[in-house]
Amino acid sequence: MATSLQSTRTLGVTQCFSSRRVVAPRVACRATPVSASQQVSQQQEQVQHNTSRREAVGMLATAAALLTAAPAQAFLGIGEPSENETYTADTTSLLDKVEKFISLEKGDESRGEVVDGLRTDMNSWVAKYRRRGSISGRASFGTSYAIVNALAGSFNSFGNTAPLPKKRLERVAKELTDARRLISRGR
C-alpha cells in the first residue's frame, strides 16, 4: 500500500509528525494509507487537468494571433499585384522622373524641387528592392541602379541646382533607354 502525506493543524499552530525528519517547518505530516486504485484515479485526473490546460493555452494563443493579425488585403493573394508587377511599375515611375529631370532646362526654377523629389524616390526605390534577391539579380535592376548611383553622386558633388556634366548626361540617357528596353522584355 502506498502512503500519502497530509497536514493537520492543532490550536492554530502547525506541527510536523514524521518519524524520520521534518518535511516542512510549519506543516504537520501524517501518513495515511491510499489504495492503488485511488492513486491511478488521481493520476488520471491530473492528466485530464494538464490536457485541458494545454487546450486552454492553445486556444488563448490562437485567439491572440487572430486578434493581432493585420486585415487581409486580398483573399489568398488574388487581386493583389505580384512582386514583378510592383517592381515594373515602381521602376517605370522612377525612370519617368529621371527623364523629366534630364529634360529640364539649365536655368529652370523648379529644378531644386524636382531634384528633392527625385532623391526621395531614388532612396525609397533602392531601399525597397536592393535586398530582394529575386529583383536585384535582374539586368533592368542593375541598369536602373547605375542610373540612380550616377545621379546621386552628381547631386552630392554638385548640388541640386547644378546641371549634369555632358558625359554623365549622355551615359544616363543611354542607360535610361537600356533600362526601359530591359523592363519591357521582363528582364
Side-chain angles (χ1 to χ4, degrees):
M1 234 191 225
T3 60
S4 130
L5 299 176
Q6 289 183 335
S7 64
T8 60
R9 247 175 185 218
T10 56
L11 300 174
V13 177
T14 307
Q15 298 175 348
C16 182
F17 304 105
S18 178
S19 60
R20 293 187 182 167
R21 64 184 174 100
V22 175
V23 176
R26 301 186 74 208
V27 176
C29 304
R30 190 179 294 163
T32 58
V34 176
S35 68
S37 64
Q38 287 176 336
Q39 277 186 337
V40 170
S41 67
Q42 287 176 354
Q43 288 175 354
Q44 287 175 348
E45 289 175 13
Q46 192 174 21
V47 168
Q48 288 174 350
H49 180 68
N50 289 341
T51 303
S52 64
R53 183 182 298 165
R54 267 189 218 119
E55 290 171 353
V57 169
M59 290 185 335
L60 183 64
T62 303
L66 290 175
L67 290 176
T68 59
Q73 298 297 325
F75 180 69
L76 299 175
I78 299 170
E80 58 185 53
S82 68
E83 184 178 62
N84 184 32
E85 293 170 346
T86 305
Y87 166 74
T88 302
D90 290 347
T91 306
T92 304
S93 171
L94 179 69
L95 295 178
D96 289 341
K97 292 176 183 177
V98 168
E99 194 168 19
K100 179 182 176 185
F101 167 72
I102 289 175
S103 66
L104 288 177
E105 297 294 323
K106 290 182 181 180
D108 196 349
E109 294 181 11
S110 65
R111 187 176 189 91
E113 295 172 10
V114 171
V115 170
D116 288 339
L118 184 58
R119 270 185 155 176
T120 304
D121 292 341
M122 289 187 317
N123 288 337
S124 63
W125 182 84
V126 168
K128 185 174 183 179
Y129 295 113
R130 177 179 46 199
R131 296 195 184 260
R132 292 187 185 176
S134 62
I135 300 292
S136 65
R138 294 180 175 194
S140 63
F141 177 83
T143 307
S144 301
Y145 191 82
I147 294 169
V148 167
N149 195 24
L151 291 176
S154 180
F155 297 153
N156 288 336
S157 297
F158 304 116
N160 291 352
T161 57
L164 286 176
K166 185 177 180 182
K167 286 185 178 180
R168 188 170 294 164
L169 181 64
E170 291 171 359
R171 191 177 101 222
V172 167
K174 180 190 178 301
E175 288 177 348
L176 188 64
T177 58
D178 291 345
R180 286 190 184 279
R181 182 176 35 86
L182 290 169
I183 287 174
S184 68
R185 293 181 182 173
R187 296 185 60 205

